[in-house]
Amino acid sequence: MSQQPNPIVIPPLPDTVCGAKIDRLRQQKSQEGQFISISICEPGGVVPLTHWIWYDFDKRQPVISRAYPSDHKIPEAFLQQLAAKQSPVSPSPGAGIRFSSPSLGGSIHEEQGFAHGGGVSDDFKHFLEMHPGMS
């Protein structure tokens, strides 16, 4: 019988990082090993700059950088651990979104929505930050 490896636990981020609030959705993404973005004004700066935060599995600590973490890899063992933890799916009352595959004639746009006031995804926020003239 093989021995179970120690589970990988990503500690929660502080509520605020460099003055940027880490909401519940970002906290959840971070603890799932995904990277998140925050906007920070540099000292003396006016325009907020996007910074990325992710958990470095090799260093076993969170990392923040202005460079997009294109080489960020989540270890397979962590993905399996995460999948095993999330597999017993039970509907929770008041869950914000229910995803299903579109039926014949259905539209994907009807299936999408925002939950719990989280609103806009990090990627869309980043897009808006890069295009300040758009609302």
Side-chain angles (χ1 to χ4, degrees):
M1 188 179 276
S2 67
Q3 215 177 19
Q4 287 290 339
N6 289 339
I8 300 169
V9 177
I10 298 176
L13 294 169
D15 290 341
T16 317
V17 175
C18 299
K21 186 176 181 324
I22 304 299
D23 60 27
R24 192 175 48 157
L25 181 61
R26 284 190 178 113
Q27 193 68 259
Q28 179 182 346
K29 287 177 72 173
S30 172
Q31 290 187 286
E32 290 174 354
Q34 301 176 42
F35 53 85
I36 61 172
S37 68
I38 59 173
S39 296
I40 303 172
C41 277
E42 297 293 325
V46 179
V47 178
L49 301 172
T50 299
H51 287 69
W52 300 94
I53 302 174
W54 68 95
Y55 186 77
D56 186 315
F57 288 92
D58 294 328
K59 295 177 183 174
R60 297 191 181 278
Q61 65 184 18
V63 176
I64 184 169
S65 173
R66 287 210 33 223
Y68 183 83
S70 58
D71 61 346
H72 174 62
K73 301 263 188 295
I74 301 175
E76 188 63 35
F78 182 77
L79 293 174
Q80 290 173 355
Q81 171 186 309
L82 198 58
K85 189 165 82 171
Q86 294 177 347
S87 64
V89 176
S90 61
S92 60
I97 303 176
R98 185 175 302 234
F99 290 103
S100 62
S101 54
S103 58
L104 289 174
S107 168
I108 292 175
H109 296 290
E110 295 169 359
E111 308 278 325
Q112 296 177 344
F114 296 111
H116 304 295
V120 182
S121 72
D122 287 338
D123 291 334
F124 189 65
K125 285 180 185 175
H126 178 69
F127 173 81
L128 289 176
E129 289 165 5
M130 296 292 108
H131 301 86
M134 298 181 80
S135 59

